[in-house]
């Protein structure tokens, strides 16, 4: 068995109405001047949290809203602004876009490092500020992961920083914060969370500890995603998805994702396709490429999705991928790259760009060359 280290926030609260508890936690940590990072569409859902901050005597300033996947330029502007103020803690309440910005601000406001210096693994020297994260999508799992991702528009690449210092001090996962997520975002973010679980379970560095989270996350998301897409106020389905997303996030530190995410990055980097949509679209195609490398693992994924084990592991694995394609169609997610206005002649460039994401490709169960990547994009076109 491989050795493994789990790095998680020392406090993870989960449950309906747990969000306002973050104020007491911040006050106990001695935070008095808080930077609040959020997005415009989330603000109506977090009045209770803002009230409890005020009750705890915490003064907060609102950073500029992060309404879409953040760029390096936006982040640098926000960093300059934050450095000019006096803050002793950061609270991120939003989807992965907001949380990643909150994590990076908490890490860099008091340091001398630039964000470009910390892209990669273990480049961040330290984080001085308290950091608390509340996810409002179910989703990225960024509230518990050691990762943060920005779009570098100059290089047309999504770039990630990975560091133990990017793990929050506390995560409060309140499914009620996700009730207002629109159907298309519910679908894409849910399939992203499902992809985290599948890629961590069927991974070169898979580990029994992480398998537990991954399989449970696959079951929860598979059984509840369509329900939540069709009825956003289905509180039970929302809670199941929030839990599945949390499990997916807990997979990201110790094992992380693989070729689906690596191939999805150029779609975000060059064509600004949302992270969840990029992953959802590529998932069945990459799995079809992969599953001969570990039929038993993919058969277990299929079983967790709810597919009956029938015939050989390879056959069951195939049925699992068919199930995923159907799930994605039922959720109304785009099925083809051509639907996203991506020109076919962009494929060779995207395959080249995907090859740069070595930190994830190294996890893939089947080695994937640039030609293979181009074939996967062709299959998805
Ligand atoms: N750090 C990590 O571990 C990690 C993991 C995976 C992805 N990511 C990154 O996270 C980003 C994507 O995050 P995401 O998929 O959560 O989407 P997102 O944060 O970009 O949110 C998508 C849209 O939904 C809106 N929204 C969010 N919560 C809402 C709510 N409760 N009600 C109404 N609208 C709401 C947002 O304002 C935004 O317009 C990408 O940049 C991706 O690269 C990070
Ligand atoms: Fe993801």
């Amino acid at each position: 068995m491989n050795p493994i280290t789990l790095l998680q926030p020392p406090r993870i609260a989960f449950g309906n109405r747990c969000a306002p508890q973050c104020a007491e936690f911040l006050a106990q940590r001695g935070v008095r001047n808080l930077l609040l990072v959020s997005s415009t569409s989330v603000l109506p859902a977090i009045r209770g949290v803002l009230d409890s901050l005020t009750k705890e005597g915490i003064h907060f300033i609102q950073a500029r809203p992060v309404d879409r996947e953040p760029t390096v330029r936006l982040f640098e502007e926000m960093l300059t602004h934050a450095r000019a103020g006096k803050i002793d803690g950061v609270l991120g309440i939003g989807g992965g876009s907001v949380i990643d910005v909150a994590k990076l601000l908490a890490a860099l406001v008091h340091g001398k490092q630039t964000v470009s210096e910390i892209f990669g693994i273990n480049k961040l020297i330290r984080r001085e500020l308290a950091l608390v994260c509340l996810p409002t999508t179910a989703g990225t799992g960024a509230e518990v992961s050691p990762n943060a991702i920005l779009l570098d528009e100059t290089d047309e690449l999504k770039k990630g920083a990975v560091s133990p210092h990017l793990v929050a001090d506390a995560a409060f996962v309140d499914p009620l914060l996700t009730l207002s997520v629109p159907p298309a975002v519910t679908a894409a973010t849910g399939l992203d969370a499902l992809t985290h679980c599948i890629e961590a379970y069927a991974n070169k560095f898979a580990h029994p500890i992480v398998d537990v989270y991954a399989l449970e996350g696959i079951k929860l998301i598979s059984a509840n995603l369509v329900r939540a897409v069709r009825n956003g106020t289905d509180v039970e389905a929302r809670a199941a998805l929030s839990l599945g997303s949390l499990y997916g996030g807990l997979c990201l530190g110790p094992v992380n994702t693989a070729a689906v995410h690596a191939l999805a990055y150029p779609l975000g980097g060059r064509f600004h396709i949302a992270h969840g949509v990029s992953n959802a679209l590529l998932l069945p195609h990459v799995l079809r490429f992969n599953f001969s490398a570990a039929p038993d693992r993919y058969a277990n994924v299929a079983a967790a999705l709810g597919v009956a084990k029938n015939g050989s592991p390879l056959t069951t694995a195939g049925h699992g991928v068919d199930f995923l394609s159907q799930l994605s169609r039922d959720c109304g997610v785009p099925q083809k790259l051509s639907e996203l206005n991506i020109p076919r002649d962009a494929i060779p460039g995207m395959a080249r760009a995907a090859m740069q994401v070595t930190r994830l490709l190294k996890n893939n169960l089947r080695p994937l060359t640039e030609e293979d990547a181009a074939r996967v994009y062709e299959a998805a076109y």
Side-chain angles (χ1 to χ4, degrees), residues 139-141 149 189 191-193 195-196 199 252 257 261 265 275-276 279:
T140 64
I149 294 151
T189 51
L191 289 166
D192 179 35
T195 308
H196 298 156
E199 290 208 286
L252 291 179
T257 57
H261 273 70
Y265 275 171
H275 178 79
N279 279 307

Side-chain angles (χ1 to χ4, degrees), residues 105-120:
L105 286 173
L108 296 177
V109 162
H110 280 184
K112 291 206 166 52
Q113 286 181 287
T114 64
V115 72
S116 303
E117 286 167 359
I118 68 161
F119 287 133

Side-chain angles (χ1 to χ4, degrees), residues 87-111:
I87 54 166
D88 51 16
V90 179
L91 175 62
I93 313 182
S97 296
V98 164
I99 291 179
D100 283 356
V101 168
K103 289 162 88 167
L104 291 169
L105 286 173
L108 296 177
V109 162
H110 280 184

Side-chain angles (χ1 to χ4, degrees), residues 92-96 99 133-143 171-175 177-178 242 245-246:
I93 313 182
I99 291 179
C133 298
L134 278 65
T136 65
T137 59
T140 64
E143 69 280 4
F172 293 79
V173 184
D174 184 341
L177 296 185
T178 66
S242 288
S245 163
L246 173 63

Side-chain angles (χ1 to χ4, degrees), residues 38-42 45 66-70 94-100 103 135-151 158 161 176-182 185 188-189 192 196 249 252 256 261 265 274-276 279:
S38 194
S39 68
T40 310
S41 52
V42 167
V66 181
D67 289 333
R68 55 189 61 82
E69 297 191 7
S97 296
V98 164
I99 291 179
D100 283 356
K103 289 162 88 167
T136 65
T137 59
T140 64
E143 69 280 4
V144 292
S145 82
N147 312 341
I149 294 151
L150 296 179
L151 166 63
K158 298 276 282 200
L176 296 183
L177 296 185
T178 66
L179 294 186
S180 52
V181 179
V185 178
T189 51
D192 179 35
H196 298 156
L252 291 179
N256 217 345
H261 273 70
Y265 275 171
H275 178 79
N279 279 307

Side-chain angles (χ1 to χ4, degrees), residues 117 199 286 296 306 377:
E117 286 167 359
E199 290 208 286
V286 175
D296 288 322
Y377 288 129

